[in-house]
């Protein structure tokens, strides 16, 4: 990750993912690079090849909005990726403002109280780097990684138990990386991000591949498919809410479809969770009943 040329890295990565036929060009002949050539992007965007080369090489970092929007159309960027591109091209801020003194990452007391009242809904709070800052008992029963101090993205990529838990691991990891990049925006030189990306790039081939794709996604809710060791297959929906008055902390709340089998299993999991959120072994009769009903 080259923080000094984030714009150029993004343009190059996204250029390599657009096929010539996607933009009305012939894909025939010998092509030494994947996707579009630089001169093809420049032609389609209505700018000179030399100017586009300067953008990718980081020798011009302040293109106009019109140029960026033209490039976004050629590169077939959606609204989130286009906004990300515009953010990367903002005039470089002084180092002091880029590493601004952030407010302490303290979960408001009212939010902690809210978490504890949701006995039927797993919920947790994370920062923009996916560090878990707080979680209620039912959330901890879903996975021990829902605990203060755990980086959830790191856990998903590196903890084998998370891979076993997540039936949708491939989709989840792709979304997690794209959301992280979208949430960070142009602050790619943030020390916390540099450490996290560096570690995951070394230890996970999949993370390294996904990060290189420069996908961008806003923070959205999703449906999680879990295979829980105590209650079996559960399908949970989640919603994410940014907490006002904090430095981009997010509240994530899970729920099962009312009246569904997943809702029943989530309720059973709640009954099996100890007060501190650490799951006990399932009673023999409950385990037998679940095995019969599956």
């Amino acid at each position: 990750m080259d923080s000094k040329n984030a714009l150029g890295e993004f343009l190059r990565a996204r250029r390599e993912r657009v096929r010539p036929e996607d933009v009305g060009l012939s894909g025939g002949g010998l092509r030494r690079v994947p996707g579009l050539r630089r001169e093809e992007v420049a032609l389609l965007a209505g700018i000179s090849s030399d100017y586009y080369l300067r953008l990718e090489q980081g020798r011009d970092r302040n293109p106009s909005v019109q140029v960026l929007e033209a490039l976004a159309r050629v590169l077939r960027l959606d609204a989130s990726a286009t906004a990300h591109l515009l953010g990367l091209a903002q005039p470089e801020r002084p180092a002091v403002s880029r590493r601004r003194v952030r407010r302490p990452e303290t979960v408001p007391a009212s939010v902690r109280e809210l978490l504890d009242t949701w006995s039927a809904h797993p919920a947790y709070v994370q920062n923009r780097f996916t560090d878990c800052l707080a979680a209620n008992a039912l959330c901890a029963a879903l996975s021990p990684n829902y605990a203060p101090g755990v980086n959830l993205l790191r856990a998903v990529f590196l903890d084998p138990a998370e891979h076993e838990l997540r039936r949708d691991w491939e989709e989840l990891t792709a979304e997690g990386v794209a959301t992280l990049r979208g949430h960070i925006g142009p602050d790619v030189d943030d020390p916390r991000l540099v450490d996290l990306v560096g570690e995951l790039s070394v230890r996970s081939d999949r993370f390294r591949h996904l990060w290189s794709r420069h996908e961008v996604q806003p923070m959205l809710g999703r449906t999680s498919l879990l295979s829980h060791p105590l209650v079996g297959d559960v399908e949970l929906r989640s919603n994410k809410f940014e907490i006002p008055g904090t430095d981009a902390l997010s509240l994530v709340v899970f729920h099962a479809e009312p009246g569904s089998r997943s809702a029943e299993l989530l309720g059973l999991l709640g009954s099996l969770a100890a007060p501190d959120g650490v799951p006990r072994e399932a009673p023999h009769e409950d385990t037998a009943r679940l095995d019969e009903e599956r």
Side-chain angles (χ1 to χ4, degrees):
M1 180 173 58
D2 182 3
S3 63
K4 295 181 180 179
N5 189 22
L7 175 62
E9 280 196 352
F10 182 80
L11 290 172
R12 182 170 57 255
R14 299 307 295 252
R15 169 174 63 83
E16 292 176 349
R17 294 178 52 199
V18 180
R19 299 175 301 174
E21 52 268 32
D22 292 337
V23 291
L25 298 176
S26 171
L30 179 63
R31 303 185 70 87
R32 298 172 57 187
V33 296
L36 297 178
R37 300 184 179 99
R38 290 191 183 96
E39 58 268 24
E40 291 171 335
V41 174
L43 175 65
L44 292 168
I47 60 178
S48 72
S49 296
D50 179 67
Y51 181 54
Y52 180 76
L53 177 62
R54 295 203 307 271
L55 290 176
E56 274 204 8
Q57 292 180 340
R59 293 186 287 127
D60 189 320
R61 302 183 186 182
N62 297 304
S64 69
V65 172
Q66 291 78 10
V67 167
L68 292 172
E69 290 177 343
L71 290 172
R73 288 192 295 272
V74 174
L75 299 178
R76 302 170 67 83
L77 304 184
D78 61 17
S80 296
T82 299
H84 183 73
L85 173 62
L86 293 171
L88 292 178
Q90 292 297 314
E92 191 161 346
R93 293 165 287 173
V96 173
S97 66
R98 288 186 67 82
R99 290 179 173 85
R100 65 191 184 281
V101 177
R102 296 193 177 96
R103 286 164 285 187
E105 290 188 323
T106 301
V107 180
S110 61
V111 175
R112 289 184 178 275
E113 292 170 1
L114 187 61
L115 288 178
D116 292 337
T117 63
W118 282 338
S119 59
H121 296 286
Y124 68 95
V125 175
Q126 68 175 23
N127 63 13
R128 63 187 189 133
F129 304 107
T130 73
D131 296 317
C132 182
L133 304 180
N136 64 11
L138 189 52
C139 200
L142 283 179
S143 168
N145 284 313
Y146 288 120
V150 175
N151 181 269
L152 297 173
L153 191 67
R154 181 184 185 278
V156 165
F157 275 99
L158 302 182
D159 186 347
E162 285 293 324
H163 200 160
E164 291 295 320
L165 176 67
R166 313 282 178 173
R167 288 183 285 142
D168 56 350
W169 186 83
E170 296 281 336
E171 180 182 9
L172 174 66
T173 52
E175 290 181 6
V177 172
T179 301
L180 175 65
R181 190 179 283 282
H183 215 170
I184 294 302
D187 290 331
V188 294
D189 59 351
D190 189 293
R192 178 71 183 97
L193 179 71
V194 172
D195 288 345
L196 179 62
V197 171
E199 179 189 9
L200 291 178
S201 295
V202 169
R203 300 184 63 185
S204 170
D205 291 340
R206 177 158 176 79
F207 176 86
R208 188 166 58 251
H209 166 70
L210 291 171
W211 188 254
S212 72
R213 288 172 60 84
H214 285 255
E215 288 280 6
V216 179
Q217 180 173 304
M219 184 179 66
L220 300 171
R222 68 186 310 273
T223 298
S224 296
L225 306 178
L226 308 179
S227 279
H228 197 278
L230 290 183
V231 298
D233 290 351
V234 182
E235 182 174 311
L236 298 178
R237 301 171 183 175
S238 67
N239 289 284
K240 300 181 180 182
F241 310 93
E242 190 161 313
I243 303 174
T246 66
D247 189 19
L249 300 189
S250 300
L251 172 64
V252 184
V253 186
F254 295 98
H255 73 279
E257 181 181 353
S260 67
R261 176 63 173 155
S262 290
E264 178 186 351
L265 293 175
L266 187 60
L268 176 59
L269 180 61
S271 71
L272 298 176
D276 60 359
V278 179
R280 296 190 293 261
E281 291 294 325
H284 175 73
E285 58 271 21
D286 284 341
T287 304
R289 180 177 67 82
L290 285 173
D291 288 341
E292 290 175 0
E293 293 178 353
R294 284 177 196 149

